[in-house]
Amino acid sequence: MAQARPIVYVGDPVLSTPCEPVTRFDDELAALVDDMFASMYAAQGVGLAANQIGVPLRVFVYDCPDADDVSHKGVVVNPTIELPGLRDRHLDPGDEGCLSIPGQYAPLPRPDQATVHGHDVTGARITVTGTGFLARCLQHETDHLEGRLFIDRLPTKRRKQLLAAHTTSLPQPL
């Protein structure tokens, strides 16, 4: 039975450390993926990397629309990302946020198309190409697995503003 796990927040070392490759495609991985979907939906997200629930493995799940507003749902294990070359690259200047930094958003230009190669939960090779919001999601979640948050791509001043706002929005201990 899938169980929503708590989301890990910025500042936890698991978010800033590159994740380990998955080497076993078994029931334990399938259960982790089920928990990841449950956790993502409970937090009202559209993507979630394993390290966001404290598991340092190269796995992410997603459920979000592409540029044509067609919904896509899936899991990618051990992803590698492929972005268009500079000549063919078009940037989407949209806002980005993260479940590990709740309530904080900032414009972050990213390529409007991305492809990830990896495996599904059974170990079969897969390729997922996304446009629009799905492209942003694929890039964002792959970044997580490299130990990078979206705020790491922002100018220093804006990054500090978001971190300060996040810190003050957390419940204070009594």
Side-chain angles (χ1 to χ4, degrees), residues 34-107:
D34 288 345
D35 286 357
M36 289 174 66
F37 274 112
S39 303
M40 179 182 73
Y41 292 136
Q44 300 179 340
V46 296
L48 184 78
N51 58 346
Q52 289 184 273
I53 58 170
V55 180
L57 290 175
R58 293 187 61 78
V59 180
F60 73 78
V61 298
Y62 61 92
D63 188 349
C64 63
D66 63 17
D68 296 321
D69 208 30
V70 174
S71 186
H72 298 266
K73 177 182 175 180
V75 56
V76 184
V77 180
N78 297 334
T80 59
I81 194 154
E82 180 182 334
L83 299 173
L86 292 178
R87 282 197 151 135
D88 300 320
R89 188 175 294 184
H90 301 282
L91 294 180
D92 170 2
D95 279 358
E96 196 159 320
C98 181
L99 295 176
S100 292
I101 314 167
Q104 304 305 311
Y105 299 88

Side-chain angles (χ1 to χ4, degrees), residues 21-30 32 57 59 77-78 120-123:
V22 171
T23 57
R24 292 179 31 214
F25 294 84
D26 55 12
D27 291 343
E28 191 174 321
L29 177 63
L32 170 64
L57 290 175
V59 180
V77 180
N78 297 334
D120 69 12
V121 72
T122 69

Side-chain angles (χ1 to χ4, degrees), residues 14-22 36 48-52 55-61 76-80 138-149:
V14 74
L15 294 174
S16 59
T17 305
C19 294
E20 295 295 321
V22 171
M36 289 174 66
L48 184 78
N51 58 346
Q52 289 184 273
V55 180
L57 290 175
R58 293 187 61 78
V59 180
F60 73 78
V61 298
V76 184
V77 180
N78 297 334
T80 59
L138 296 174
Q139 293 169 74
H140 179 104
E141 301 309 330
T142 302
D143 273 356
H144 269 301
L145 303 180
E146 299 298 333
R148 179 181 295 137
L149 297 172

